[in-house]
Amino acid sequence: MESKFILNLIHRPEMVPEYAEKVTGQGKEENLGRKTLLTESLDIFKTQQAIAHKNGLKTTIQMTYASLFNDEAVALAKHDHEVYGDEIGSTLLGLSCEEFRKKYRTKDFCIWMFDLETKKQIVDDVFGKFYDRFGFYPASTGSYYMDAPLINYIKEKYPTIQCAVATCWEEGPKAYHTCNNSWYTLFDGGPWAPWIPSRANTHAPAANEAEDSGIVAIPHLSRDLIACYDGNGSNFGTHPQNVLRGMIYDTKTWELPYLYNLIDQYRYQEKFNDGYAYNMMFVGPGWMNKMGRWEAPYELLLHSYEEGCAYYGKLKQEGKLTDMTMSEFAGFYRQTHGYTTPECALWRDILYGSDKQLFWYCDPFMRACVNMDQGGAIVDLRPYAAKLEWPVGIGTPHVQDCSYPFLIQEKYRAGYFTHYAGEGTVRSAKLRHNGEEVDLCLCRTHAHFRAETLENGRTARKLILDPVEIRFSDCTLTLQTVLTFVEGESDIRIDRRILEMSDPDAEIEIDEYMVACYGTTEYPEDMTGIRLYADKDGDNHELDYAYLCRECVVPGAEQVRAVVPPIRTVVSMTASGRDAAGYYKEGYAFSPMFTLGYKGTIKEKEAFTTWLKLAKED
């Protein structure tokens, strides 16, 4: 039986590497037609191909626009396709070359940043040239990011396309800041593993055939789901240069244990995804040059790639990995994944050796992150249910910002720990007793995963947290949290149960809350226009957000909800438990959030249950 740990290994023959676009290592403007530069780029591509084939791995060769004008590059691709079974695809990276600049008169090279008509023209040029050279249209394509209108156009006009590199996980503000604000690519909020993008928004997975864009999308690199979330993604991914850039290797022996641990951590995700896991390595030749532009000598650059491919090759020999081309993978993915099949990742820290653990969940309705270092708090939440249309490029409101907006994001909206004002964005709970209060965000724990089949045939994926001990001055209790994600539904169920208590007759107040806002960066958005509701018996206690710090509590409320028109989202909470009272809170200018929640009472052996639901605003 073939392993369901799948590898996509992708190479692109850049005749003019992106990183040679501006200057040489000597500070002189580069001659983009200089023969030695072209020869070196092609030689590096040959080297990468040879390393892959030596280790028994087939690749997807994504021909750049510039490479289509080079007879040797075309001949190499044809040869390796015939001899090794490599796929010949076409990438929308590597556009810049003499022919492109003469025609488009621009230094822009990011396909998603052009206006839509220019995007279409570029695609027609690239795919037309590809057909001229190979006699067929490609089955795979890609870029760092491909917006929905671009994907829709490509699939409609070039139906042979089955698979595309369509985003780069968390390549957003954190990466922007750590490159000195010079890398204008912002695409937080997307999936970290393959998905079928919706026709409305590339980041949001399709929920059904009507939403299906017609392709399978894969991310650019497989990232470390803790290190890239906490810091700069360019240092922590399955690209050997990431690992070298992050200085995560033995400088004396050049051993790369972190890279192997990262690959193994992805293999481990089979446990949470019905025996399936995915990895991709996608590198152009620009980073492996001999001209001193990178942080390591050429010999180390070469060694790191040899070691990475050797590890994948070893796994394949042992029957623990299956290598596929991009279009092969697209077929496999559609055969094994339904539209509502979620992607789950229970990720532990492999960089610093801490006990930190995150759980990531992604389906057509949401992307959520649960942080066990904060007691199982939800610290990132993206409302995919809204299928928010977010046009990108020149002539749109978002020239560079491709991110899918968040409702909760602890890195850009503080999370639990703030300086002066209340909570930042987080979904957690507080316990109170005789005037004392404990927030579960302060209770570190670990989690275990279990999948169960429900009576209705749907699969529930449960994150079961280890119990935590909470001490009040006159009472100690042990509380357990279970989060449940039911496939095909757009909510998160959270059960809190007191397992035992030093005073069995004590009553504990529980406050289940969600502090939220919306945005894609650290900077606050205008919250006016948001409407807050507490619904009971047909009576909607309504408030229009005006930064006035108002609150509303409704005992027995059927639900509390917020309508967020700028991102076409409705987020609501419901509850089941003793003395449940729903409430909402309006923020103020210094703390521009809103809060939804339920308060109730809970005793030993009892549970308090809430549901957090996401929907599209009608």
Side-chain angles (χ1 to χ4, degrees):
M1 180 179 177
E2 283 191 326
S3 168
K4 288 188 179 179
F5 179 49
I6 311 301
L7 170 68
N8 280 154
L9 181 57
I10 305 170
H11 293 154
R12 64 179 187 262
E14 288 176 345
M15 298 299 98
V16 184
E18 293 169 9
Y19 309 110
E21 274 298 292
K22 189 174 181 182
V23 295
T24 67
Q26 289 71 42
K28 298 178 182 178
E29 185 175 351
E30 186 62 80
N31 175 2
L32 299 183
R34 186 166 57 82
K35 185 176 181 180
T36 53
L37 179 65
L38 302 182
T39 301
E40 183 190 29
S41 297
L42 203 53
D43 285 346
I44 295 170
F45 169 71
K46 293 177 188 177
T47 299
Q48 290 179 319
Q49 286 286 97
I51 293 171
H53 297 148
K54 174 185 176 183
N55 288 284
L57 302 170
K58 57 185 170 184
T59 74
T60 298
I61 302 169
Q62 290 212 329
M63 301 293 292
T64 63
Y65 186 59
S67 70
L68 295 173
F69 292 92
N70 185 285
D71 292 340
E72 186 178 1
V74 172
L76 284 169
K78 289 179 178 179
H79 173 270
D80 287 0
H81 168 68
E82 294 170 0
V83 174
Y84 299 104
D86 294 345
E87 178 176 308
I88 307 175
S90 175
T91 181
L92 296 168
L93 293 172
L95 293 173
S96 290
C97 61
E98 186 177 352
E99 292 81 3
F100 184 86
R101 288 191 169 182
K102 281 182 178 179
K103 181 165 187 176
Y104 292 94
R105 299 183 181 279
T106 180
K107 294 182 180 180
D108 261 328
F109 60 93
C110 296
I111 184 70
W112 65 92
M113 291 185 183
F114 290 93
D115 65 87
L116 182 56
E117 290 307 311
T118 305
K119 289 174 187 174
K120 293 178 180 179
Q121 187 179 2
I122 292 170
V123 167
D124 291 341
D125 279 349
V126 172
F127 282 25
K129 184 66 175 177
F130 184 97
Y131 188 88
D132 289 343
R133 300 310 306 258
F134 294 103
F136 59 87
Y137 288 114
S140 59
T141 188
S143 182
Y144 288 124
Y145 180 75
M146 295 176 65
D147 58 294
L150 174 61
I151 290 175
N152 296 339
Y153 174 76
I154 289 175
K155 186 61 182 180
E156 179 181 354
K157 188 160 184 182
Y158 305 97
T160 57
I161 294 293
Q162 304 299 318
C163 192
V165 180
T167 195
C168 200
W169 194 71
E170 304 308 270
E171 184 86 10
K174 293 187 295 294
Y176 173 69
H177 293 314
T178 51
C179 67
N180 297 326
N181 305 344
S182 63
W183 183 243
Y184 293 88
T185 60
L186 301 171
F187 14 88
D188 268 355
W192 65 91
W195 77 105
I196 297 172
S198 68
R199 292 183 56 80
N201 190 298
T202 296
H203 286 311
N208 49 51
E209 187 175 356
E211 293 180 1
D212 191 334
S213 64
I215 71 163
V216 172
I218 60 176
H220 177 269
L221 301 181
S222 296
R223 303 289 197 182
D224 185 321
L225 299 186
I226 286 181
C228 284
Y229 178 66
D230 288 346
N232 179 9
S234 292
N235 289 351
F236 315 108
T238 50
H239 178 349
Q241 176 59 33
N242 281 184
V243 177
L244 300 185
R245 190 181 297 134
M247 301 296 289
I248 320 166
Y249 63 96
D250 190 308
T251 56
K252 294 181 180 179
T253 65
W254 287 1
E255 292 180 352
L256 302 159
Y258 171 77
L259 178 61
Y260 310 142
N261 289 338
L262 180 59
I263 294 168
D264 286 348
Q265 183 82 172
Y266 268 99
R267 290 173 57 207
Y268 184 67
Q269 304 314 309
E270 294 176 352
K271 294 180 179 292
F272 319 117
N273 296 281
D274 302 319
Y276 154 81
Y278 175 84
N279 233 207
M280 79 93 77
M281 188 157 66
F282 181 21
V283 290
W287 68 280
M288 203 194 289
N289 68 74
K290 300 177 181 177
M291 300 180 69
R293 292 193 184 92
W294 290 102
E295 303 90 334
Y298 171 75
E299 292 77 13
L300 176 53
L301 297 173
L302 176 64
H303 170 79
S304 68
Y305 200 65
E306 289 174 332
E307 291 296 296
C309 285
Y311 192 63
Y312 283 126
K314 175 176 176 290
L315 291 174
K316 181 180 179 180
Q317 282 188 333
E318 295 172 350
K320 298 175 182 177
L321 176 147
T322 301
D323 55 331
M324 294 185 182
T325 67
M326 286 177 64
S327 63
E328 286 175 341
F329 173 75
F332 166 84
Y333 188 86
R334 285 191 177 273
Q335 289 172 4
T336 55
H337 289 70
Y339 287 113
T340 58
T341 303
E343 183 77 23
C344 301
L346 186 53
W347 197 269
R348 61 183 177 85
D349 173 29
I350 55 172
L351 181 60
Y352 300 109
S354 74
D355 286 334
K356 185 172 183 178
Q357 196 183 40
L358 297 181
F359 177 75
W360 289 92
Y361 179 89
C362 177
D363 71 8
F365 310 105
M366 71 183 77
R367 193 193 82 174
C369 180
V370 181
N371 188 344
M372 267 51 72
D373 260 17
Q374 296 188 36
I378 297 172
V379 295
D380 185 286
L381 184 64
R382 313 280 173 154
Y384 289 160
K387 296 294 184 289
L388 184 65
E389 295 186 8
W390 190 273
V392 174
I394 297 168
T396 76
H398 316 288
V399 178
Q400 297 93 2
D401 187 357
C402 312
S403 300
Y404 197 96
F406 54 76
L407 285 168
I408 294 173
Q409 221 294 329
E410 65 169 336
K411 304 303 178 186
Y412 307 143
R413 294 295 194 278
Y416 172 71
F417 301 99
T418 60
H419 291 291
Y420 301 109
E423 296 86 3
T425 60
V426 70
R427 169 71 181 88
S428 184
K430 301 172 184 177
L431 300 181
R432 303 187 181 100
H433 182 60
N434 290 342
E436 296 178 275
E437 177 181 281
V438 174
D439 194 306
L440 290 181
C441 280
L442 296 172
C443 302
R444 294 187 176 185
T445 185
H446 293 94
H448 310 274
F449 178 90
R450 186 169 71 217
E452 298 178 355
T453 302
L454 305 179
E455 291 182 358
N456 61 9
R458 291 186 171 180
T459 301
R461 290 166 174 84
K462 293 190 174 185
L463 191 66
I464 303 166
L465 276 59
D466 290 345
V468 296
E469 185 178 81
I470 296 173
R471 293 178 176 271
F472 298 106
S473 58
D474 61 351
C475 179
T476 300
L477 63 90
T478 303
L479 180 113
Q480 185 167 44
T481 297
V482 177
L483 294 92
T484 303
F485 303 80
V486 178
E487 185 172 343
E489 299 182 6
S490 59
D491 59 29
I492 305 171
R493 171 176 172 158
I494 302 179
D495 294 281
R496 317 271 191 199
R497 182 178 297 273
I498 295 180
L499 303 180
E500 57 182 0
M501 196 153 47
S502 62
D503 179 0
D505 297 322
E507 287 194 350
I508 306 297
E509 179 184 345
I510 186 167
D511 182 351
E512 294 278 358
Y513 71 92
M514 179 184 77
V515 179
C517 63
Y518 75 95
T520 59
T521 70
E522 308 97 321
Y523 300 112
E525 304 285 350
D526 184 2
M527 301 286 280
T528 56
I530 293 176
R531 299 183 301 279
L532 305 175
Y533 299 86
D535 303 328
K536 181 181 179 182
D537 300 329
D539 184 12
N540 299 330
H541 299 264
E542 181 178 350
L543 181 149
D544 289 329
Y545 200 105
Y547 297 93
L548 297 176
C549 207
R550 294 167 289 178
E551 301 182 16
C552 177
V553 180
V554 179
E558 295 154 9
Q559 72 169 346
V560 291
R561 56 192 167 99
V563 179
V564 190
I567 57 171
R568 301 295 302 277
T569 296
V570 179
V571 55
S572 62
M573 285 180 63
T574 56
S576 174
R578 209 151 42 84
D579 306 323
Y583 70 90
Y584 60 72
K585 295 180 182 179
E586 176 189 29
Y588 46 101
F590 194 85
S591 183
M593 318 291 178
F594 64 84
T595 303
L596 302 177
Y598 272 90
K599 297 178 182 179
T601 54
I602 186 172
K603 299 178 67 174
E604 187 178 61
K605 308 301 182 184
E606 289 184 345
F608 197 87
T609 302
T610 55
W611 291 262
L612 169 61
K613 187 175 183 64
L614 297 169
K616 184 174 184 177
E617 181 193 21
D618 293 331

